[in-house]
Amino acid sequence: MFVDIWRCSKKMWKGRFSQETNEIVGRFTQSLDLDWRTVQEDIRGSAAHVRMLAKMGLLTEEEAKEIEAALRQIAQEASSGAFVPKESLEDVHMNVESLLTERTGDVGAKIHTGRSRNDQSNTTVRLSLRKEILTIWNMLKELLEVLLGKADEHTDKIVPGYTHLQQAQPISMGHFWMAHFQAFTRDARRLLFAYESCDECPLGSGALAGSTLPLDRDFTAKDLGFSKVSENSMDSVAQRDHIIDFHSFAATFGVHLSRLSEDLIVYFSSEFGWIKLPDAFCTGSSMMPQKKNPDVLEILRGKAGQLTGALVDALVLMKGTPLTFNRDFQEDKRSLWRSCDALKGMLEVITPLIAEVEVDEESAKRGFADGFIFATDVAEHLVERGVPFRKSHEIVGNVVRWCIENGRTLTSLDRDEWKKLVPQAGDDLVSLLVPETSVQRRDTYGGTSQRQVRGQIERGKDRLRDLDESFSSYVARYPDLFA
């Protein structure tokens, strides 16, 4: 009789209430727009729970097999679109359970034994987020591989390096690519940390205090490919650190990608002009026929703000919420899935764009025309000849001022002029003031010389291999979904 009454009710928790839920409240509190995308993970989590209940004698083997068979069928229907959820049932969890009970009767009504939607939904999101992270890693790995390839391709190409967006010193273009590779490698470690933060199973925590029933939490964790079970049932349903950790990765990655985009936008501009962007990743103007606009890079730069906003959204959402579960938490998925989708879109477009970037060396060298970019080379040459650096800095600064006042370039000075302006200068100074020599001589560890850049590339390959091995171990443990 109880099951019949439950079937007729729109809400699982109807028994406590004497009034029907207002339709406005139903529309306002539903979360199907947020969690239906996790239907496969929800069903898989339920299957693991059913297997555990059977192991512990809370379901018979026959009951467990009947429920799991029904769950597999529901998963297939959800995948094909035949299963259309009802908003009146609030969320993905109740839609699945309602259909299961409709098809299996009293047997299906046992599925929620020993669990709450609090630990169920948290498990579902963790399963889904783990999958998203593994997908994002595969895309980020491709970007890192492309950056290594560009660094190798452009190791011998010399371009200006900047501070304050002012020419500073000549660098290998390979060094430039490896600088961004380093940033994205740190992001990969953050992504790995986010996965590990997500890689514990809250199922069995119940609403907040665990259960009086004999549950084997290790069994369900292993069945779902989690590395461990969560330690504290209250913390399990109350915390969203794994989501915040993911947003922290996403926001930092977005900042790094925005900076790379900005670099390329600036260097592609007519005023700089030594980066060539592929036509296939640029657009034109509706009015000005000559324009080739770096719209893709600009949109990437813009989307970085969304990722930062999502992190702030998650932090503010959790701030001040008391232990344990609060309904605020259902909103954690709104920015989470939006960030996942944005990241995949950003990675999908940036990698092939970078693969086709070219360097116009002649345009780059035109930037060296006044020779002032070699001023530090001169100062360090004097240091090698015994002049204190602060004194050599002042001497070279005076030479630069003299050149500006007399309409000369630093590289136009011959040996006699150098001797007159800087008596401490050696006879080999003029031969040092060329881009290739300047770059080659910066051979300190991590520097821009070709030897150092090639060393960075080899070490980068090793780091990428280590990261991939770590992620691959998690891929191997991720459970198969039914659909």
Side-chain angles (χ1 to χ4, degrees):
M1 179 63 178
F2 173 77
V3 174
D4 291 337
I5 293 174
W6 185 86
R7 287 182 198 161
C8 295
S9 302
K10 289 185 177 181
K11 306 298 181 186
M12 179 182 180
W13 35 262
K14 171 67 176 169
R16 166 66 175 80
F17 292 80
S18 59
Q19 289 182 309
E20 292 291 339
T21 303
N22 191 294
E23 290 184 6
I24 297 173
V25 173
R27 288 194 300 272
F28 184 70
T29 59
Q30 66 81 29
S31 61
L32 274 173
D33 62 323
L34 301 176
D35 58 29
W36 184 248
R37 68 185 278 164
T38 66
V39 61
Q40 301 298 335
E41 290 79 14
D42 178 72
I43 293 171
R44 183 61 180 84
S46 291
H49 185 64
V50 167
R51 294 169 187 173
M52 183 275 295
L53 293 177
K55 176 179 181 289
M56 303 307 295
L58 296 169
L59 287 175
T60 67
E61 289 296 330
E62 292 73 19
E63 289 174 329
K65 289 179 180 178
E66 182 181 355
I67 293 173
E68 185 166 337
L71 287 173
R72 286 179 180 273
Q73 180 61 37
I74 292 171
Q76 292 171 6
E77 293 173 12
S79 181
S80 69
F83 180 10
V84 179
K86 299 176 182 177
E87 187 181 272
S88 61
L89 293 173
E90 293 187 15
D91 56 30
V92 61
H93 318 295
M94 291 312 305
N95 268 276
V96 171
E97 185 174 341
S98 177
L99 183 56
L100 174 70
T101 306
E102 179 183 315
R103 294 182 177 180
T104 60
D106 289 344
V107 173
K110 295 181 179 182
I111 193 174
H112 210 55
T113 301
R115 75 176 182 186
S116 161
R117 278 190 294 178
N118 294 355
D119 61 339
Q120 179 186 3
S121 63
N122 201 335
T123 301
T124 297
V125 170
R126 285 173 181 266
L127 268 175
S128 185
L129 183 53
R130 284 165 61 201
K131 183 176 68 176
E132 293 283 357
I133 288 174
L134 294 175
T135 299
I136 289 167
W137 161 246
N138 283 329
M139 302 180 78
L140 178 55
K141 179 177 69 172
E142 290 180 6
L143 173 60
L144 291 169
E145 290 170 342
V146 166
L147 287 170
L148 286 173
K150 297 307 286 188
D152 183 60
E153 177 187 348
H154 292 159
T155 295
D156 295 323
K157 294 185 182 297
I158 311 302
V159 299
Y162 301 86
T163 64
H164 308 279
L165 206 56
Q166 302 293 310
Q167 282 196 10
Q169 294 173 332
I171 61 169
S172 158
M173 187 62 185
H175 197 50
F176 168 86
W177 291 121
M178 287 307 297
H180 287 289
F181 175 88
Q182 295 295 335
F184 291 131
T185 301
R186 292 193 297 273
D187 291 334
R189 295 194 194 101
R190 293 184 184 94
L191 183 62
L192 184 62
F193 179 82
Y195 189 97
E196 292 168 349
S197 178
C198 199
D199 191 26
E200 62 178 36
C201 185
L203 202 58
S205 298
L208 77 161
S211 176
T212 61
L213 299 171
L215 307 180
D216 188 341
R217 297 191 62 207
D218 288 312
F219 177 92
T220 47
K222 184 177 181 181
D223 191 82
L224 295 172
F226 285 102
S227 297
K228 59 184 178 180
V229 297
S230 57
E231 289 285 336
N232 182 286
S233 60
M234 292 181 71
D235 178 64
S236 296
V237 301
Q239 63 109 332
R240 294 296 185 270
D241 288 6
H242 52 291
I243 292 178
I244 291 172
D245 289 335
F246 175 78
H247 283 309
S248 181
F249 148 76
T252 309
F253 169 80
V255 168
H256 290 153
L257 186 54
S258 180
R259 296 189 75 194
L260 171 58
S261 298
E262 174 69 2
D263 277 343
L264 297 179
I265 289 169
V266 170
Y267 304 156
F268 172 67
S269 67
S270 300
E271 287 71 21
F272 288 72
W274 50 265
I275 282 291
K276 295 180 179 180
L277 297 178
D279 284 357
F281 291 86
C282 294
T283 64
S285 166
S286 62
M287 181 179 182
M288 296 168 283
Q290 83 281 10
K291 295 295 294 298
K292 179 179 175 180
N293 297 327
D295 285 14
V296 169
L297 294 170
E298 292 171 350
I299 293 172
L300 286 168
R301 196 174 55 187
K303 284 185 177 293
Q306 298 175 22
L307 299 177
T308 301
L311 172 60
V312 174
D313 180 32
L315 290 169
V316 174
L317 176 70
M318 297 303 297
K319 175 194 168 295
T321 54
L323 292 180
T324 53
F325 181 80
N326 301 274
R327 193 63 180 271
D328 317 40
F329 295 174
Q330 81 174 33
E331 293 297 312
D332 62 6
K333 292 176 282 296
R334 195 172 303 281
S335 57
L336 176 61
W337 304 138
R338 188 165 57 238
S339 289
C340 286
D341 293 342
L343 281 165
K344 288 183 287 189
M346 294 163 79
L347 284 162
E348 184 178 36
V349 73
I350 187 60
T351 301
L353 187 157
I354 295 297
E356 295 189 41
V357 169
E358 297 179 4
V359 177
D360 185 337
E361 290 186 272
E362 292 305 313
S363 293
K365 288 180 179 179
R366 283 197 292 271
F368 303 146
D370 59 16
F372 297 150
I373 200 168
F374 303 114
T376 306
D377 296 75
V378 178
E380 291 180 345
H381 167 76
L382 296 179
V383 168
E384 290 176 334
R385 297 180 64 79
V387 180
F389 180 75
R390 288 303 175 196
K391 180 64 176 177
S392 69
H393 187 287
E394 180 183 1
I395 290 171
V396 178
N398 289 332
V399 173
V400 170
R401 186 177 71 247
W402 182 89
C403 287
I404 293 172
E405 291 172 349
N406 290 274
R408 298 289 299 278
T409 67
L410 204 64
T411 48
S412 70
L413 301 178
D414 59 27
R415 186 177 63 178
D416 293 338
E417 288 175 309
W418 273 113
K419 281 291 187 180
K420 182 177 179 181
L421 291 168
V422 184
Q424 303 94 324
D427 292 340
D428 60 340
L429 175 58
V430 174
S431 66
L432 302 180
L433 305 185
V434 293
E436 291 76 12
T437 303
S438 175
V439 167
Q440 188 65 27
R441 295 180 70 235
R442 286 185 162 79
D443 199 36
T444 49
Y445 185 87
T448 192
S449 74
Q450 287 88 342
R451 187 176 76 90
Q452 290 298 329
V453 171
R454 292 188 179 98
Q456 290 180 54
I457 293 170
E458 292 307 310
R459 293 190 296 274
K461 290 177 181 178
D462 291 339
R463 293 191 186 106
L464 182 55
R465 191 180 307 112
D466 290 342
L467 284 164
D468 196 37
E469 287 176 0
S470 297
F471 279 104
S472 294
S473 69
Y474 291 128
V475 171
R477 285 215 313 271
Y478 193 84
D480 292 332
L481 302 180
F482 289 161

